[in-house]
Amino acid sequence: MTTLLTGASGYVGGQLASALDDDLICLPRTPGGAGDLTVPGALAGVDHGRVTRIVHAAAVTRFNVDRETARQVNLEGTIRVAEFAERCPRLESLVYLSTLYTAGRRTGDIPEEPLVSEEPLVSEEPLVSEEPLAERGFVNDYEWSKHAAETALLERDLPVRIVRLPTLIADDDTGGSVGQHNAFHSTLRLYYYGLLSLLPGDPDTPLALASASYAVRALLEATRLEATDTVTHACPAPDDTITLGELIDIAFNVFEKDESFRRRMLLRPLPCDLASFRDLAVAAAGMRGGPVSQALGSVAPFAEQLYLPKVFQARHAHPVDTRRLVENVCSTLVDCRFGRGRGTGTGTGTGTGTGNSLYPGQATGPGTEGGNHD
C-alpha cells in the first residue's frame, strides 16, 4: 500500500504519518510551490501510478478564517487532490478529514451520510456579513468550506471516505498531554483568568470531544469499512458525550482546587442568550483591543454553534470516558498555566489551524484544529 498524505506537518497529519504502516509519500509544503494546494501543480512531483491510497488532511481550520482563504485552501485545494486522484489507476480509497460541523446550523440527530445544502460551492463575491452566512446554513466560513469540499468530492466517481472529526482536546485518551492548543483550551483559559464571565450557549448542548489518538484510530478503521460507509463520524457515542454545562462544572471543579484561582474568587459564568451575546460582542468590538473585546472576539466565531444542539450518529464509536478525559485535560492546563509556565504536560503547538472553540475545528488564531490539520 502506497499512501499519499497531505497535511503531514499538522497536528493530526503528523500522528497519522506515525501510525500508517505504509509506503508513505509526504510532500513538505513550500509556499507557492510543491505541496501548496492553493496553486496548480502542487502534486506534480508525485508519481500517480504508485499511489493506492490518499489521505487528505491539509486544511486551514481557524473558525475566523475569511471566505476567500477558506475557499482557496479547503475547497480548491481539495478539488486539486481529487483531480490528482482521478489520474491514479491503482487508487483504492481517498480518505478526507472533515469536521462534524459541516452540519452547520442543523440541529437534532446528524446522520453519518452526505449532507445536502442549497449553498453554491463557489460564489462570485466573498462572504462578508453574518446575515447571508446564516441564510446559507452555516455559522462561519470554516464550516462552509469543509461542507463544500465534501460535496465536491462526492460529485466525482472516486472511492471517497469522509471522516468527520470532533474537537480534539488531548493527545490521547488519558488527557494527560495536550500537544496543541485550540479554541477549546483558549476558551477555558479565558474562564480561568476571569476574562470571560458569561457562558454563550445552551448548557444542555452536547459537545463532541475526543483525543487525537481516538481520531487517528477512527481514521485508520475508516479505510477498512465497506464501500457503502461513505461517511464516518470519528466521535464518541451519544452516551459518552458531555454537555456544555457539564464541561463548565468539570472545569471549575478542577480550577477551584488551585490556590491562585481561589484567591481571585471568580464566579462560574452565567448563561446568556444568543441575542444578548451578539449585542455584547458588538459593543466590545468598539473598545479597540481591550481584554474584554479580545476575549469576546475569540469566542464569537463559534459561539452560535453552542446554541444549536446536535447529536452525532457514530455507528463505529469506541467507548471512552469523556468526563475523565476533560477533567485530566483541565488539570494539565492548570498545572502548566495553560502553556505559560509550571509543569510540563502540554505544548503550545505550531499548526496553522483551529478548530475550533468548543467544537471541531480550531482555534480562532494561528497555532491550533482542535484537531487542527495543517
Side-chain angles (χ1 to χ4, degrees):
M1 178 75 72
T2 299
T3 298
L4 169 64
L5 174 63
T6 71
S9 60
Y11 181 52
V12 176
Q15 297 207 27
L16 270 173
S18 299
L20 286 167
D21 186 19
D22 295 348
D23 175 15
L24 199 59
I25 302 173
C26 299
L27 283 184
R29 181 182 178 276
T30 303
D36 185 348
L37 296 173
T38 64
V39 298
L43 300 173
V46 180
D47 180 2
H48 56 265
R50 287 179 55 199
V51 175
T52 54
R53 177 167 64 190
I54 298 172
V55 179
H56 180 34
V60 58
T61 55
R62 298 189 306 273
F63 285 143
N64 65 345
V65 63
D66 63 273
R67 179 79 174 229
E68 188 58 29
T69 300
R71 173 165 43 199
Q72 289 179 4
V73 178
N74 294 349
L75 175 56
E76 295 177 4
T78 298
I79 291 173
R80 289 193 174 93
V81 171
E83 291 170 345
F84 174 85
E86 290 174 329
R87 300 193 299 271
C88 297
R90 301 173 56 212
L91 187 70
E92 297 178 10
S93 64
L94 193 170
V95 182
Y96 176 57
L97 275 65
S98 189
T99 171
L100 293 175
Y101 290 88
T102 54
R105 295 172 54 80
R106 293 175 177 84
T107 59
D109 291 336
I110 307 298
E112 290 177 294
E113 61 186 36
L115 298 170
V116 178
S117 172
E118 309 230 338
E119 156 78 337
L121 289 185
V122 178
S123 60
E124 292 299 321
E125 298 294 332
L127 193 61
V128 294
S129 68
E130 196 171 293
E131 183 178 348
L133 184 63
E135 289 175 358
R136 288 175 170 88
F138 300 96
V139 170
N140 53 56
D141 289 314
Y142 168 69
E143 297 175 359
W144 166 83
S145 66
K146 298 297 277 187
H147 177 274
E150 284 190 14
T151 303
L153 287 174
L154 293 170
E155 288 177 344
R156 295 171 181 261
D157 185 19
L158 288 168
V160 173
R161 303 286 186 276
I162 293 171
V163 182
R164 295 176 180 148
L165 300 185
T167 301
L168 305 183
I169 64 173
D171 296 344
D172 56 48
D173 290 343
T174 69
S177 177
V178 181
Q180 182 167 269
H181 289 195
N182 58 36
F184 173 89
H185 312 93
S186 299
T187 302
L188 290 179
R189 180 179 180 273
L190 294 175
Y191 287 126
Y192 178 81
Y193 286 106
L195 297 174
L196 190 61
S197 59
L198 296 177
L199 178 64
D202 183 340
D204 292 329
T205 296
L207 302 178
L209 309 172
S211 69
S213 64
Y214 186 101
V216 167
R217 185 164 65 246
L219 283 160
L220 296 177
E221 292 178 356
T223 66
R224 299 189 289 269
L225 295 175
E226 297 293 330
T228 53
D229 290 307
T230 304
V231 178
T232 300
H233 290 165
C235 63
D239 288 346
D240 290 328
T241 299
I242 66 171
T243 65
L244 175 61
E246 288 176 313
L247 167 64
I248 294 300
D249 285 341
I250 292 170
F252 272 77
N253 286 343
V254 172
F255 294 170
E256 288 161 0
K257 295 176 184 177
D258 179 69
E259 183 179 353
S260 64
F261 181 84
R262 291 198 302 271
R263 284 200 300 266
R264 291 193 292 274
M265 295 187 293
L266 298 173
L267 300 177
R268 299 192 179 199
L270 297 173
C272 67
D273 60 62
L274 179 57
S276 298
F277 181 79
R278 283 176 170 168
D279 289 343
L280 184 60
V282 169
M287 297 180 183
R288 299 188 178 183
V292 175
S293 175
Q294 292 176 8
L296 291 174
S298 71
V299 176
F302 65 85
E304 185 172 352
Q305 199 58 256
L306 301 176
Y307 296 92
L308 302 170
K310 299 172 176 59
V311 177
F312 295 99
Q313 179 183 355
R315 291 167 294 171
H316 306 287
H318 294 278
V320 62
D321 188 343
T322 305
R323 290 163 182 79
R324 178 60 60 86
L325 172 66
V326 170
E327 182 179 0
N328 289 346
V329 168
C330 291
S331 296
T332 297
L333 294 173
V334 170
D335 184 57
C336 73
R337 292 296 184 262
F338 291 80
R340 296 177 59 187
R342 192 182 79 193
T344 58
T346 78
T348 57
T350 57
T352 59
T354 89
N356 318 223
S357 60
L358 300 178
Y359 71 130
Q362 319 324 345
T364 55
T368 135
E369 184 189 292
N372 279 354
H373 311 325
D374 179 44

